[in-house]
């Protein structure tokens, strides 16, 4: 009999989650009742941030984040090639130009040195970015304090893609509370806290929050302070900007609220598993995730890179792991190498660190309910195949 399948990630749905969603289904509100606001309030409090705005998914959050920061035709946005395609697509949605900053081989995040050098060049040529989207890959926060110094010097805004980093912190501050002008989280089913599909964008900036709230809901407002004309009655609303239907439903928010009560417990469970992988894989031909003492990862992913000493290449190893019923994955195919971006003029060799990482990378199973026995099976299979 084949061994049970071990997925690379697995959502954790408790009886309390199911009860919360059931209660919501029986309530008066499926979409825009009080629970959405409550989820936003609790999420904002947990991340020590003034405003949290729930949205239908993180891609929508990145889109309205760009728009609220003024991105449009003629704008320039930079992001990391080692991310999901949304981190770049959001700029293209707005008609802006996109470019990439290569990754740091240690953090696998946007390289601070590459960013600094690219900004110096851009400054000389007079074409600085308007928005930079650093991505907290695997849940490890980027060098955000240093990036903020650069943002203030060169006049760009930081839209942090923390889709992996719910519950992470940097220099003692929760992700989203400091440095970035706005920060995006994903609640897709494979992410840390899930609402099925869903996302949140947080900011300390009151004016930005107001724009984001308008953009996620048709650009329509009933707020007296925002109306441009005198109200015509209790039914009155105005469309003051072009917005989208990017709202999060109350059904989703009820699940999110219930999930959030286990966030800290999950982060600790993920970290324990990551620590154990570090020890168990130490003698194998694998480059493990680097550790930094100024930031706490949320451990969304545990990604190794096969070294020169491995007996097989990544493609062969991936196939052998899957054949052994272990759900490994690869994050990410560098965005600039996708056919769509190649057509925009990007070449594979332009961002060599992200490509070198991709060629050897493999994400191995990591989820809060993973048992030591499951983890041992993953490790033994990897060691037998590669060492
Ligand atoms: C998942 C993810 C997204 C997109 O999130 P959705 O909620 O599915 O739209 C964007 N960026 C990164 C880094 C992601 O991992």
């Amino acid at each position: 009999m084949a061994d049970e399948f071990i997925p690379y990630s697995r959502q954790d749905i408790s009886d309390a989650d199911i009860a919360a969603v059931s209660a919501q289904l029986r309530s008066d509100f499926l979409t825009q009742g009080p629970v959405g606001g409550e989820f936003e309030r609790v999420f904002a409090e947990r991340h020590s941030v003034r405003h949290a705005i729930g949205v239908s998914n993180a891609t929508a959050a990145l889109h309205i984040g760009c728009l609220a920061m003024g991105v449009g035709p003629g704008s320039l946005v930079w992001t990391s090639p080692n991310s999901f395609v949304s981190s770049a697509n959001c700029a293209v949605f707005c008609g802006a130009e996109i470019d990439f900053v290569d990754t740091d081989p240690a953090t696998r995040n946007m390289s601070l040195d590459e960013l600094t050098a690219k900004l110096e060049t851009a400054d000389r040529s007079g074409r600085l970015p308007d928005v930079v989207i650093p991505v907290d890959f695997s849940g490890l926060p980027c060098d955000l304090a240093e990036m903020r110094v650069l943002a203030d010097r060169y006049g760009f805004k930081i839209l942090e893609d923390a889709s992996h980093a719910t519950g992470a912190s940097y220099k003692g501050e929760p992700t989203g509370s400091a440095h970035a002008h706005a920060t995006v989280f994903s609640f897709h089913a494979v992410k840390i806290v899930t609402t099925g599909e869903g996302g949140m964008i947080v900011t300390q900036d009151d004016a930005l929050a107001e724009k984001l709230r308008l953009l996620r809901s048709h650009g329509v407002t009933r707020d007296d302070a925002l109306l441009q004309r005198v109200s015509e009655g209790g039914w009155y609303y105005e469309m003051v900007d072009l917005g989208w239907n990017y709202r999060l439903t109350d059904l989703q928010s009820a699940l999110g609220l219930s999930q959030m009560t286990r966030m800290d417990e999950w982060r600790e469970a993920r970290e324990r598993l990551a620590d154990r992988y570090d020890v168990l894989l130490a003698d194998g031909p694998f480059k493990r995730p680097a550790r930094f003492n100024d930031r706490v990862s949320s451990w969304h992913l545990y990604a190794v890179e096969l070294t020169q000493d491995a007996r097989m290449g990544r493609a062969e190893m991936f196939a052998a792991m899957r054949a052994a019923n272990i759900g490994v994955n690869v994050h990410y195919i560098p965005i600039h190498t996708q056919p769509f971006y190649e057509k925009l003029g990007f070449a594979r060799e332009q961002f060599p660190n992200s490509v070198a990482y991709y060629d050897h990378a493999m994400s191995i199973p990591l989820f809060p309910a993973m048992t030591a026995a499951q983890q041992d099976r993953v490790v033994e299979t990897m060691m037998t195949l590669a060492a």
Side-chain angles (χ1 to χ4, degrees), residues 57-59 62 83-84 86-87 135 161 163-164 186 188 191 198 332:
N57 53 67
T59 306
L62 288 163
S83 186
F84 187 59
S86 301
S87 309
V135 181
D161 184 347
S163 289
H164 297 184
S186 173
H188 183 272
K191 304 291 162 67
Y332 284 101

Side-chain angles (χ1 to χ4, degrees), residues 124-171:
R124 280 195 297 275
S125 68
R127 188 84 206 283
L128 284 161
D130 300 286
V131 170
V132 172
I133 305 179
V135 181
D136 303 323
F137 177 74
S138 79
L140 182 75
C142 295
D143 302 309
L144 287 160
E146 295 83 351
M147 287 180 179
R148 181 56 185 257
V149 172
L150 294 171
D152 292 342
R153 182 180 312 153
Y154 292 104
F156 62 86
K157 296 265 191 285
I158 300 175
L159 178 58
E160 178 186 10
D161 184 347
S163 289
H164 297 184
T166 307
S169 61
Y170 172 75
K171 296 190 197 288

Side-chain angles (χ1 to χ4, degrees), residues 23 27 34 42 60 91 133 145 159 187 223 297 317 376:
S27 80
V42 170
I133 305 179
L159 178 58
F187 306 136
D223 181 349
S297 178
M317 178 94 184
D376 289 342

